[in-house]
Amino acid sequence: MKLDIIGSVASGKTTLAKNLSETYHVPFYQKDNIVWERTPNGDRKRDDKERDQLFQKIINSEDWIVEGSPRKLLRESFEKCDYIILLDIPLYKRLVRTLRRWIRQRAGKEKYNSKPTIKFLYYNIKWVFEYEKDRKEIIGYLFAYGSKYKRFTTSESAKLFINKVYSI
C-alpha cells in the first residue's frame, strides 16, 4: 500500500492516515514532520538535502502512507503511490474543525506540534482560505495522474474506497 493523502488544514488527513495505518499495519508519515524536525527545544527546519533523503527513504520503501497539504516540494510521492487521495472537505467544515482543534489543544485535550497560540489559529485559518483560493489549480494538476487521483468530500467515503481496493 502506497498512499498520498492531501488536502487543506482540518480536512481529516492525519486522522484518516492514522486510522489506515492501524488497520493495515502500514507506517504513516506527516509531510510537515519531513520538512520539520520536532525537538524538545522547538522545531528545526531540515535542510533540503536532509529533507529529500528522508522523503526518498520513505517513498522508496515497500509500504507507506504520507499525508499533508499539497506542497510542491514533496510531490514526488505522486509518481510512486498507488493512489493520491484528495480530501476536498467543504470550507465551513474545515473552519469549524480548525477552531474546535485549537480549543481542544488549548485545553490540553489534543496533542499539537505547534503551540496553540492566537497567532497559530490565525495562520491555520489563513491556510484554510489559501487552499480554497488554490483549490481549482490543485485539482487541475491532479488530473494529470489519471485514475490514481481520487477526490472525496468526506473521510468516510475515502476510507470505504481504500477498504474496497485493499479488501477489508
Side-chain angles (χ1 to χ4, degrees):
M1 172 184 286
K2 296 178 182 177
L3 299 174
D4 195 326
I5 302 171
I6 62 172
S8 168
V9 167
S11 61
K13 302 175 302 293
T14 305
T15 302
L16 178 61
K18 279 182 186 178
N19 186 284
L20 293 171
S21 175
E22 290 169 3
T23 300
Y24 292 96
H25 309 288
V26 171
F28 91 94
Y29 306 90
Q30 294 175 298
K31 289 181 180 178
D32 281 348
N33 293 342
I34 294 167
V35 174
W36 297 92
E37 179 183 15
R38 310 298 184 181
T39 73
N41 298 328
D43 296 347
R44 179 189 70 81
K45 190 169 186 176
R46 298 179 199 276
D47 65 43
D48 293 354
K49 183 178 179 184
E50 181 185 9
R51 178 202 64 220
D52 293 346
Q53 285 177 339
L54 176 58
F55 196 52
Q56 287 301 312
K57 182 179 178 186
I58 292 166
I59 65 173
N60 287 320
S61 62
E62 192 168 326
D63 291 301
W64 47 263
I65 301 167
V66 294
E67 65 83 8
S69 60
R71 297 173 182 267
K72 290 179 182 171
L73 61 97
L74 295 179
R75 286 188 189 166
E76 192 174 345
S77 53
F78 292 177
E79 298 294 331
K80 297 192 175 206
C81 68
D82 301 328
Y83 294 101
I84 303 162
I85 305 296
L86 173 63
L87 292 179
D88 195 21
I89 309 304
L91 173 64
Y92 75 92
K93 280 189 178 181
R94 290 181 279 126
L95 288 170
V96 168
R97 288 176 178 179
T98 298
L99 183 58
R100 184 176 51 218
R101 174 191 293 163
W102 182 79
I103 290 168
R104 290 183 52 79
Q105 289 172 344
R106 295 279 294 193
K109 295 180 179 182
E110 187 172 319
K111 187 180 171 191
Y112 51 87
N113 286 327
S114 300
K115 290 189 178 184
T117 62
I118 294 289
K119 183 177 180 180
F120 192 68
L121 174 62
Y122 165 79
Y123 279 117
N124 275 271
I125 291 170
K126 178 181 172 223
W127 294 328
V128 166
F129 282 104
E130 282 178 1
Y131 171 83
E132 200 63 23
K133 178 179 67 72
D134 298 337
R135 185 176 165 275
K136 286 184 181 178
E137 179 186 338
I138 292 165
I139 290 171
Y141 75 69
L142 289 171
F143 272 113
Y145 294 93
S147 62
K148 77 164 45 178
Y149 158 60
K150 304 295 180 189
R151 178 183 163 268
F152 299 95
T153 56
T154 68
S155 294
E156 294 78 18
S157 58
K159 189 175 175 185
L160 285 172
F161 167 77
I162 292 163
N163 288 342
K164 183 177 178 184
V165 169
Y166 294 100
S167 300
I168 273 205

